[in-house]
Amino acid sequence: DMIYDFNYVGEWGFGPMHGLRAWFDGEHMHYNRALPDCQFTDFIRAATNQTCTSASYGLARWTLPFAGVPPPPTKPWVKVRDLDFYLLEGDRIKINWCIIDVVDLFVQAGYNVLPPPPMSTDGYLAPAAMDGDPAPLSTMVDPRDTLISEEIWRAALQEDYVL
């Protein structure tokens, strides 16, 4: 059950929100206009009776401004890293921290908003390619790669089973 006195403060055109409709029209639609049809895959979930967390990633095409930053002209596909933390009170969500790695999103699009880091910033990885689980999301697949992989698969099948 969604908590109906949810409060969010952002810097890009919407302030505190109260209620499900305000959240939907504010934060939710801001995100979904910028990254429409973002498909998320959870790969870690953990919970107690009062807390819950998840780690996931989303695949989306960045098409409109996000947090006041326009997408590059190419409107690139991006992998959105997400961590969620919940605190429950009774049968309601009291607090939800949804942390999107905005810096990583910007870097993927060519916007380097921080100085170069001293260590790798590969983040957390689930499936090796992070392009869908358990198989790649079809919109993330280059059709030329499909033809090449099918050719290799058929050659292996021929060699291993037909000869």
Side-chain angles (χ1 to χ4, degrees):
D1 220 317
M2 177 69 177
I3 189 161
Y4 295 100
D5 58 354
F6 180 80
N7 186 16
Y8 180 87
V9 178
E11 301 256 343
W12 40 82
F14 54 89
M17 291 173 281
H18 299 279
L20 186 56
R21 183 83 232 176
W23 168 83
F24 182 86
D25 291 337
E27 178 188 3
H28 177 74
M29 287 311 298
H30 172 77
Y31 179 87
N32 282 287
R33 282 186 196 100
L35 301 156
D37 197 31
C38 187
Q39 300 293 314
F40 276 92
T41 299
D42 284 348
F43 57 90
I44 297 175
R45 284 195 175 191
T48 68
N49 289 337
Q50 297 173 326
T51 61
C52 173
T53 187
S54 69
S56 59
Y57 67 93
L59 303 172
R61 185 162 226 153
W62 186 6
T63 61
L64 291 173
F66 180 69
V69 177
T74 59
K75 299 190 177 7
W77 282 94
V78 291
K79 295 172 182 150
V80 182
R81 297 179 191 163
D82 175 50
L83 297 173
D84 281 290
F85 302 92
Y86 298 86
L87 177 61
L88 308 176
E89 188 172 81
D91 62 352
R92 302 182 88 182
I93 298 170
K94 180 177 182 179
I95 298 171
N96 169 226
W97 292 291
C98 176
I99 304 167
I100 301 236
D101 190 341
V102 177
V103 171
D104 180 65
L105 178 81
F106 290 170
V107 168
Q108 289 178 58
Y111 299 133
N112 294 308
V113 296
L114 295 174
M119 296 174 54
S120 171
T121 60
D122 292 338
Y124 51 83
L125 303 175
M130 285 187 80
D131 58 2
D133 183 34
L137 186 63
S138 59
T139 55
M140 294 294 293
V141 176
D142 182 333
R144 294 170 295 188
D145 291 343
T146 300
L147 294 174
I148 292 167
S149 65
E150 183 176 355
E151 184 178 331
I152 293 168
W153 176 79
R154 288 188 181 278
L157 189 63
Q158 179 73 25
E159 180 180 323
D160 292 344
Y161 295 103
V162 177
L163 293 176

